[in-house]
């Protein structure tokens, strides 16, 4: 009797994906050290396991590729061949093909078999006969190599390391069932708050009964003794009930706490589940850029809520790419400044004060503060007076603004200023965390990300402001201080507090939230101040009273309240009262804006509304017409030139607002056209975009040296790429 393949397919795909993660990890280790026999034996076993399992599942295309990879790795084990770059790329290509076929299997599609040519390359490589170049890499899956990141399967035992077997038993659990348990646990925690409130109510009754007995003892009445005995009995009964109920509450609290810990731990997984997957992304980034990078991972065993890990992946991939693209220099450039040719990127994690801190650093060129100031002025994000008053930290934080980039040139992967604002939104707004940047020109940059351990239960402080109670997430509060009002110092028209060696601006939550004056007014001359921390920003927020602190479940805002920026959710108290949860990152931003407004509007509106004229120079009529039609559909005035020489003549006769040019053209190529235009007085600062099929790093550097502001590769060209660049440069 045959087995039901469908019953085992899900398990096979899940386990095979775990082996894929370990295969990639092992191949990366072998690239660093081809003599690492443990890694080689491990990847051989993984390929062998996938081959055997896929044969059992009758998935012949997968088993065939796995078999060829196994043969190739066996040849490496026996010393018949030596691992080099071409062979390494071939192995990675084979792993990518298996992963593609697993995706097709998981989606219920017919498997697309790989080409005979690739099979022959694997066979030839195993015999040491491969001199042909390796096939082109498989197109990125699930956004691999771009901003979008899909983490590896987070079910089961995970990557776990090469060839390591767990010392404990595991079972597979559907994540939606775990989510239901977490939700139930949250409701139990909320119920525990209500039980505590009932205990408080019973204590009130106990006090009333006691007072009743005291009053009756003074009554001159015939039945005084009987009434007194009844009242005393009532008091004793309620007192015993209170004691019993208190014990029940304590037991319930212990059980709820244990349930909370164990439930949350079920959804806590090590960060290595995504950290290890980043090795491939960094390898792709460094290979495509021509840079050499050593990637070091530390603290991968640090555990975090699965829901947070799933959301943080895209942001970390973007930051890693920025470290390689903007931070790490080219090998020769590093040698020229006395650095080793191989750059270093370090990703680490650990626990700190009930939170998880993730640090990503590089030893590259650092963030050029001076260049950021110039960009801000050029883009009219701020004026010279405002920028002069900003600290370096404020200037550096500009990279989180939408559309802002420190890159000298716009390419197909960077320079448009999209991404860092998304990173900030994901970490601060969605995950209720914080991000801080440190940098030193010539020495490197560090990103410090602080995240709550879980999103299911949040520790909050209940505070009173103007007779209104609010909940404040505790992980945004670094400390609480009480100081006399005369200890505040005046800076311009704002108050501040000297907190150790730092000057912290102080604002009233009442004023920020536009609440009425409390009644009655607070008479105590001492001020109670919450020190809110968001990255390297600190703001002191005055409150009237700190009421209590508690672990709570935060509920989402209803649709009609979604636009209230100062509030991020609601909590339900033991008395079934609703309290707003303050959105501390937004409040800190609002507080900062109240002290320094940034002008983001052009000063001359008539100038901004004039029609922009663009010149296109390209020897391909098709390319010219495509670009012209796209630009004209957006309202731009467009002229075209058939080559570089014609473009130069047209540019001399009219001052265009933007020039778009091909690189390879007859009579005068695009690089020469740009150089000659830069020598013309009217084109010294005119934006110029190169749209070309040349995609090598040296070509992009040549474009930068010539004076181009953006570089778009025709192979990756689409309408949005062109329009993003044009609108970024001329609006």
């Amino acid at each position: 009797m045959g087995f039901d393949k469908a019953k085992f397919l899900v398990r096979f795909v899940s386990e095979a994906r775990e082996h894929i993660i370990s295969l990639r990890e092992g191949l990366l280790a072998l690239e660093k050290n081809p003599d690492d026999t443990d890694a080689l034996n491990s990847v051989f076993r993984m390929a062998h396991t996938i081959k055997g399992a896929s044969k059992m599942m009758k998935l012949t295309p997968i088993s065939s590729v796995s078999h060829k990879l196994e043969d190739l790795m066996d040849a490496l084990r026996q010393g018949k061949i030596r691992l080099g770059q071409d062979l390494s790329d071939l192995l990675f290509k084979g792993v990518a093909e298996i992963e593609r076929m697993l995706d097709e299997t998981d989606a219920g599609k017919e498997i697309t078999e790989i080409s005979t040519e690739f099979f022959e390359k694997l066979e030839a490589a195993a015999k040491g006969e491969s001199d042909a170049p390796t096939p082109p890499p498989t197109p990125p899956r699930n956004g691999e190599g771009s901003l979008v990141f899909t983490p590896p399967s987070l079910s089961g035992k995970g990557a776990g390391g090469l060839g390591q077997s767990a010392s404990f038993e595991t079972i597979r659990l559907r994540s939606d069932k775990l989510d239901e348990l977490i939700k139930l646990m949250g409701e139990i925690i909320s119920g525990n708050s209500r039980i505590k409130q009932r205990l408080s109510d019973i204590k009130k009754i106990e006090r009333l009964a006691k007072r009743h007995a005291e009053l009756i003892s003074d009554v001159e009445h015939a039945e005084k003794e009987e009434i007194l005995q009844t009242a005393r009995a009532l008091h004793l009964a309620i007192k015993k009930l209170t004691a019993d109920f208190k014990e029940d509450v304590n037991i319930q609290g212990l059980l709820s706490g244990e349930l909370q810990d164990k439930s949350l731990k079920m959804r806590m997984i090590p960060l290595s589940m995504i950290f290890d997957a980043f090795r491939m992304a960094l390898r792709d980034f460094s290979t495509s850029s021509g840079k050499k990078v050593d990637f070091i991972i530390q603290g991968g065993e640090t555990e975090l809520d699965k829901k947070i890990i799933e959301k943080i992946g895209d942001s970390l991939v973007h930051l890693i790419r920025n470290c390689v693209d903007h931070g790490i220099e080219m090998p020769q450039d590093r040698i020229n400044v006395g650095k080793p040719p191989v750059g270093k990127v370090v990703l680490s994690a650990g626990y700190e004060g009930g939170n998880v801190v993730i640090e990503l650093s590089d030893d590259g060129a650092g963030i050029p503060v001076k260049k950021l100031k110039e960009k801000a002025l050029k883009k009219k994000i701020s004026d010279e007076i405002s920028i002069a008053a900003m600290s370096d930290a404020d200037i550096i934080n500009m990279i989180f603004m939408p559309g802002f980039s420190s890159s000298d040139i716009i390419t197909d992967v960077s320079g448009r200023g999209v991404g860092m604002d998304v990173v900030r939104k994901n970490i601060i707004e969605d995950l209720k965390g914080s991000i801080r940047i440190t940098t030193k020109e010539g020495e490197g940059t560090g990103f410090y990300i602080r995240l709550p351990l879980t999103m299911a239960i949040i520790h909050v402080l209940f505070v009173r402001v103007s007779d209104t109670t609010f909940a404040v997430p505790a992980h945004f509060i670094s400390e609480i201080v009480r100081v006399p009002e005369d200890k505040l110092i005046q800076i311009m028209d704002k108050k501040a507090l000297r907190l150790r060696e730092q000057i912290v601006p102080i604002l009233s939550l009442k004023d920020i939230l536009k609440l009425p004056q409390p009644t009655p007014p607070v008479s105590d001359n001492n001020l109670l101040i919450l020190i809110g921390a968001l990255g390297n920003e600190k703001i002191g927020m005055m409150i009237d009273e700190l009421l209590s602190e508690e672990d709570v479940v935060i509920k989402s805002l209803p649709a009609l309240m979604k636009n209230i920026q100062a509030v991020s959710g609601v909590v339900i108290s033991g008395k079934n009262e609703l309290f707003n949860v303050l959105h501390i990152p937004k409040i800190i931003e609002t507080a900062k804006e109240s002290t320094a407004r940034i002008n983001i509007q052009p000063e001359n509106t008539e100038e901004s509304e004039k029609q922009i004229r663009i010149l296109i120079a390209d020897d391909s009529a098709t390319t010219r017409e495509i670009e012209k039609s796209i630009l004209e559909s957006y309202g731009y005035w467009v002229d075209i030139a058939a080559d570089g020489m014609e473009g130069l003549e047209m540019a001399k006769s009219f001052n265009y607002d933007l020039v778009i040019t091909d690189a390879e053209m007859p009579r005068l190529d695009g690089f020469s056209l740009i150089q000659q235009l830069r020598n013309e007085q009217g084109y010294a600062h005119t934006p110029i975009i190169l749209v070309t099929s040349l995609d090598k790093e040296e070509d992009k550097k040549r474009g930068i040296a010539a004076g181009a502001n953006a570089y778009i590769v025709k192979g990756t060209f689409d309408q949005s790429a062109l329009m993003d660049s044009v609108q970024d440069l001329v609006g």
Side-chain angles (χ1 to χ4, degrees):
M1 178 178 177
F3 71 94
D4 184 359
K5 188 170 80 171
K7 289 175 61 177
F8 297 91
L9 196 59
V10 173
R11 183 181 181 89
F12 162 75
V13 171
S14 178
E15 288 184 338
R17 281 180 171 154
E18 292 171 6
H19 293 316
I20 289 292
I21 293 171
S22 295
L23 265 171
R24 283 203 172 110
E25 189 72 16
L27 292 176
L28 286 167
L30 283 172
E31 274 195 328
K32 282 189 174 182
N33 181 14
D35 297 323
D36 187 342
T37 55
D38 288 341
L40 182 55
N41 289 332
S42 178
V43 294
F44 175 82
R45 288 194 299 270
M46 297 296 173
H48 180 78
T49 301
I50 294 174
K51 180 191 74 172
S54 56
K55 275 188 175 182
M56 288 288 293
M57 298 299 298
K58 311 298 183 188
L59 299 172
T60 304
I62 297 178
S63 64
S64 298
V65 178
S66 304
H67 192 174
K68 295 299 179 187
L69 290 179
E70 183 187 19
D71 290 343
L72 188 50
M73 294 169 188
D74 191 42
L76 285 168
R77 288 201 309 168
Q78 296 180 33
K80 295 179 179 178
I81 56 176
R82 181 76 178 169
L83 185 68
Q85 187 62 50
D86 286 349
L87 187 56
S88 179
D89 289 343
L90 192 65
L91 287 167
F92 276 114
K93 168 70 175 174
V95 173
E97 288 293 343
I98 294 175
E99 190 172 25
R100 172 187 59 77
M101 289 187 279
L102 287 173
D103 286 345
E104 291 175 344
T105 302
D106 196 25
K109 298 178 181 178
E110 190 73 23
I111 293 179
T112 305
E113 297 192 35
I114 65 173
S115 65
T116 304
E117 179 186 1
F118 184 53
F119 264 116
E120 292 173 352
K121 285 182 180 295
L122 290 173
E123 289 177 350
K127 298 175 183 177
E129 300 172 355
S130 178
D131 293 320
T134 58
T138 301
R141 299 177 56 259
N142 297 325
E144 186 177 13
S146 65
L147 178 59
V148 179
F149 171 73
T150 301
S153 171
L154 300 180
S155 62
K157 61 189 177 184
L162 298 177
Q164 296 176 351
S165 59
S167 60
F168 50 86
E169 293 184 359
T170 63
I171 61 170
R172 297 182 183 275
L173 181 68
R174 282 177 45 174
S175 62
D176 58 339
K177 290 184 177 180
L178 179 57
D179 292 341
E180 289 173 2
L181 176 62
I182 296 288
K183 184 178 179 181
L184 175 61
M185 175 270 297
E187 296 301 332
I188 290 176
I189 297 298
S190 296
N192 199 46
S193 297
R194 289 191 290 272
I195 292 174
K196 288 180 180 178
Q197 183 60 43
R198 299 298 88 78
L199 176 60
S200 177
D201 295 341
I202 291 174
K203 285 182 177 180
K204 287 180 182 179
I205 296 173
E206 179 189 359
R207 287 194 294 271
L208 288 173
K210 182 180 180 182
R211 179 58 180 159
H212 179 62
E214 291 171 350
L215 290 173
I216 289 177
S217 64
D218 295 331
V219 175
E220 295 295 335
H221 196 278
E223 289 84 15
K224 169 186 172 183
E225 189 60 32
E226 183 180 353
I227 296 174
L228 184 57
Q229 289 177 356
T230 304
R232 285 173 175 167
L234 175 62
H235 174 234
L236 290 173
I238 294 177
K239 186 175 182 180
K240 185 178 184 304
L241 175 61
T242 302
D244 292 344
F245 197 82
K246 183 177 182 180
E247 185 177 351
D248 291 343
V249 168
N250 291 336
I251 293 173
Q252 172 74 5
L254 291 172
L255 292 174
S256 297
E258 187 175 358
L259 174 62
Q260 174 184 340
D261 290 342
K262 292 191 180 300
S263 298
L264 292 178
K265 284 179 181 177
M266 289 175 67
R267 209 167 70 180
M268 302 289 279
I269 57 177
L271 279 163
S272 59
M273 294 294 291
I274 58 170
F275 278 14
D276 294 339
F278 293 153
R279 293 188 187 277
M280 279 302 300
L282 187 135
R283 180 183 186 273
D284 291 342
F285 298 154
S286 57
T287 300
S288 62
S289 65
K291 299 175 180 179
K292 296 181 179 179
V293 185
D294 186 15
F295 190 34
I296 300 171
I297 293 178
Q298 300 168 342
E301 70 280 0
T302 305
E303 292 190 335
L304 193 58
D305 191 325
K306 172 177 176 287
K307 293 294 184 182
I308 297 180
I309 285 183
E310 289 173 347
K311 290 179 178 291
I312 195 67
D314 287 346
S315 296
L316 289 176
V317 166
H318 187 84
L319 292 176
I320 290 170
R321 184 175 64 185
N322 272 6
C323 287
V324 176
D325 193 32
H326 296 295
I328 301 297
E329 311 93 333
M330 296 296 289
Q332 188 58 50
D333 294 336
R334 291 178 62 87
I335 293 173
N336 293 341
V337 296
K339 292 183 178 180
V342 179
K344 183 186 295 184
V345 174
V346 180
L347 179 63
S348 63
Y351 300 108
E352 185 179 298
N355 298 285
V356 166
V357 175
I358 298 174
E359 298 183 14
L360 176 68
S361 62
D362 65 67
D363 67 345
I367 298 176
V369 176
K370 183 179 178 181
K371 185 184 292 184
L372 294 182
K373 293 180 179 179
E374 293 171 354
K375 285 271 186 177
L377 288 172
K378 185 176 180 181
K379 286 177 168 290
K380 298 181 179 179
I381 291 174
S382 186
D383 54 48
E384 291 186 10
I385 296 176
S386 299
I387 287 180
M390 289 183 184
S391 65
D392 284 353
D394 289 331
I395 298 294
I396 291 168
N397 281 336
M398 283 185 176
I399 68 173
F400 290 119
M401 298 177 68
F404 192 90
S405 173
S406 62
S407 179
D408 287 320
I409 188 166
I410 302 173
T411 70
D412 49 314
V413 296
S414 67
R416 296 189 178 88
V418 293
M420 290 302 287
D421 58 320
V422 177
V423 168
R424 189 176 190 278
K425 178 183 180 299
N426 286 347
I427 292 172
I428 294 177
E429 297 185 19
D430 297 344
L431 297 177
K432 316 303 180 190
S434 64
I435 180 169
R436 175 171 60 90
I437 304 174
T438 61
T439 188
K440 190 169 183 179
E441 289 192 46
E443 296 185 13
T445 300
F447 296 91
Y448 299 84
I449 300 169
R450 180 186 291 269
L451 297 166
L453 283 170
T454 177
M455 297 294 290
I457 299 290
I458 300 293
H459 192 69
V460 300
L461 308 175
F462 285 102
V463 303
R464 185 172 61 81
V465 182
S466 292
D467 295 329
T468 305
T469 300
F470 296 98
V472 177
H475 61 271
F476 285 122
I477 306 302
S478 61
E479 57 187 302
I480 304 171
V481 297
R482 186 182 290 276
V483 296
E485 189 171 3
D486 58 11
K487 289 294 184 181
L488 299 186
I489 58 178
Q490 198 77 18
I491 300 178
M492 303 293 287
D493 60 337
K494 304 296 178 185
K495 294 184 183 297
L497 173 67
R498 188 181 299 278
L499 190 63
R500 292 177 287 278
E501 299 302 318
Q502 188 174 3
I503 300 297
V504 179
I506 303 296
L507 296 102
S508 170
L509 266 181
K510 172 180 68 67
D511 296 335
I512 296 174
L513 301 174
K514 297 181 172 60
L515 297 174
Q517 183 67 28
T519 53
V522 178
S523 58
D524 190 352
N525 190 43
N526 286 332
L527 301 175
L528 191 59
I529 301 174
L530 303 179
I531 305 298
L534 183 62
N536 51 4
E537 300 291 339
K538 283 190 175 181
I539 294 286
M541 297 167 286
M542 289 188 287
I543 62 172
D544 296 335
E545 187 179 358
L546 177 62
L547 302 174
S548 63
E549 55 182 310
E550 199 174 319
D551 289 336
V552 298
V553 179
I554 296 183
K555 308 288 186 181
S556 300
L557 290 172
L560 56 88
M561 294 179 65
K562 289 293 186 183
N563 294 326
I564 302 178
Q565 295 187 341
V567 176
S568 61
V570 294
V571 296
I572 304 174
S573 73
K575 294 181 179 180
N576 288 323
E577 296 174 308
L578 288 175
F579 294 123
N580 290 323
V581 180
L582 294 182
H583 193 336
I584 298 300
K586 187 60 67 177
I587 287 175
I588 292 178
E589 283 185 10
T590 302
K592 285 179 60 184
E593 290 172 4
S594 70
T595 59
R597 299 286 180 181
I598 296 178
N599 177 26
I600 60 172
Q601 297 296 329
E603 294 181 1
N604 188 342
T605 55
E606 291 183 2
E607 182 69 19
S608 65
E609 292 174 358
K610 77 172 187 177
Q611 191 167 25
I612 293 171
R613 295 194 63 163
I614 299 174
L615 172 64
I616 296 175
D618 198 303
D619 61 328
S620 167
T622 302
T623 301
R624 291 197 303 267
E625 291 306 319
I626 290 174
E627 293 173 352
K628 185 174 188 291
S629 63
I630 291 173
L631 291 164
E632 288 182 340
S633 70
Y634 280 80
Y636 296 105
W637 187 304
V638 181
D639 291 333
I640 57 177
D643 58 35
M645 187 59 71
E646 184 181 352
L648 181 62
E649 293 170 355
M650 293 176 66
K652 287 181 177 180
S653 63
F654 184 86
N655 283 333
Y656 289 95
D657 300 294
L658 174 71
V659 176
I660 300 174
T661 178
D662 186 18
E664 298 175 299
M665 296 183 291
R667 297 207 294 168
L668 186 68
D669 63 57
F671 300 110
S672 301
L673 171 60
I674 294 172
Q675 290 172 336
Q676 293 200 33
L677 285 177
R678 290 304 186 209
N679 291 327
E680 295 289 327
Q681 185 175 0
Y683 285 93
H685 303 291
T686 301
I688 302 177
I689 300 176
L690 264 171
V691 181
T692 173
S693 59
L694 301 177
D695 60 356
K696 293 182 179 179
E697 189 66 28
E698 54 263 33
D699 296 320
K700 295 179 183 179
K701 294 182 71 173
R702 186 182 173 193
I704 295 173
N709 300 94
Y711 194 106
I712 299 176
V713 179
K714 287 182 179 179
T716 59
F717 175 85
D718 61 23
Q719 178 172 328
S720 62
L722 176 63
M723 293 315 304
D724 285 348
S725 301
V726 170
Q727 291 173 352
D728 182 69
L729 293 169
V730 296

